[in-house]
Amino acid sequence: MQLCFLNAVFPSKSLTVFDTLANIGLLFFMFLIGLELDPKSLLSKTGQKALAIALVGITFPFVLGIGTSFALRATISQGFDKAPFFVFMGVILSITTFPVLARILAELRLLTTEVGRMAMSAVAVNDVAAWILLALAIALSGSESSPLVSVWFLLSGCGFVICCTLVLPSILRWMSRRCSEGEAINESYVCATLATVLAAGFVTDTIGIHALFGAFVFGVVLPKEGPFAATLVEKVEDLVSGGGSGVEGETKR
């Protein structure tokens, strides 16, 4: 009965469309999160606190995950190598889902506050540590996956971040300088920026990293000064966070 209802409301042909729209929306949402996040905050006292919180927040659950894997090694770990299984269990229980936390903070309007910046900085460090640990687990399970795969992910991801940091800011600053305060922003600049978000997601997805990573990095390196960034936030926020005002109103009640 449930399967018939599901097929009637969501035919199999429509799932691809829904999945594509959902991924595009999530892609622009992560771009918006990166756009509203100031990387300079990591150098402040708040950033240092976030680093300490991230280290404690990933170390304690990781140790508990390894302890749990010892208890499960006689059941679900059969057929797997011990070392990769221990690392995978530790990572699974210690990782923080970046999009979920970002969405919660955005809906509560805490993303730009000191607490929100600290939380986002901590989860960013947490995700980096999780990627390194997953790369270690893949390297340890060399019987099924080549260690070169993890090296490719790591080097390609670092190369993408370096390229975005060195090349894109100068172009984006040139576009921002051509946008005067109080005047209408050239729509071609906005369209070019949003197209670059999709291109960045495509590049990281081709590398083997999730497309959200590319959109987030592009949002982080985009200059925050001037009316151009504010216009992008205004246009993208209505698209991906239309329900935020309703949540905020319920929170105030």
Side-chain angles (χ1 to χ4, degrees):
M1 182 64 182
Q2 294 179 353
L3 185 60
C4 294
F5 177 78
L6 179 63
N7 292 331
V9 178
F10 301 107
S12 58
K13 294 182 179 179
S14 66
L15 296 180
T16 303
V17 178
F18 286 130
D19 182 67
T20 302
L21 292 176
N23 282 305
I24 291 176
L26 188 57
L27 202 68
F28 282 112
F29 175 72
M30 293 309 299
F31 166 71
L32 180 64
I33 297 303
L35 185 59
E36 295 181 344
L37 184 64
D38 187 5
K40 296 179 181 178
S41 61
L42 290 173
L43 302 177
S44 62
K45 292 183 178 180
T46 302
Q48 296 175 0
K49 292 179 181 179
L51 180 61
I53 293 172
L55 292 177
V56 175
I58 195 174
T59 301
F60 185 65
F62 185 77
V63 174
L64 290 180
I66 293 179
T68 304
S69 63
F70 276 100
L72 299 176
R73 62 181 178 178
T75 55
I76 65 174
S77 65
Q78 292 182 354
F80 297 95
D81 295 332
K82 292 183 180 180
F85 177 73
F86 292 162
V87 176
F88 274 118
M89 286 294 296
V91 172
I92 289 172
L93 295 180
S94 60
I95 195 172
T96 301
T97 307
F98 188 90
V100 174
L101 179 61
R103 180 64 181 175
I104 293 173
L105 293 174
E107 289 185 347
L108 297 177
R109 301 296 180 183
L110 295 175
L111 192 62
T112 56
T113 64
E114 182 178 358
V115 175
R117 288 194 296 267
M118 184 183 301
M120 292 300 296
S121 301
V123 75
V125 176
N126 194 312
D127 279 355
V128 171
W131 274 103
I132 295 174
L133 292 173
L134 284 175
L136 175 63
I138 294 174
L140 291 174
S141 58
S143 58
E144 297 182 1
S145 300
S146 173
L148 295 177
V149 175
S150 59
V151 176
W152 163 254
F153 288 160
L154 181 61
L155 294 180
S156 300
C158 293
F160 175 79
V161 173
I162 293 173
C163 181
C164 289
T165 305
L166 296 179
V167 177
L168 292 179
S170 58
I171 300 175
L172 295 170
R173 288 193 187 95
W174 176 81
M175 295 171 59
S176 181
R177 286 194 298 266
R178 295 179 64 89
C179 301
S180 303
E181 192 76 36
E183 297 182 1
I185 305 298
N186 194 330
E187 294 294 333
S188 61
Y189 295 161
V190 178
C191 293
T193 303
L194 298 183
T196 308
V197 175
L198 298 177
F202 174 77
V203 170
T204 52
D205 186 66
T206 303
I207 291 173
I209 309 173
H210 202 286
L212 300 181
F213 178 75
F216 175 74
V217 171
F218 179 63
V220 171
V221 301
L222 196 147
K224 310 300 188 294
E225 302 83 8
F228 183 60
T231 302
L232 286 175
V233 171
E234 180 182 352
K235 290 182 177 297
V236 177
E237 194 171 33
D238 292 337
L239 175 65
V240 300
S241 304
S245 58
V247 175
E248 183 183 13
E250 293 296 329
T251 304
K252 291 180 179 180
R253 291 180 187 178

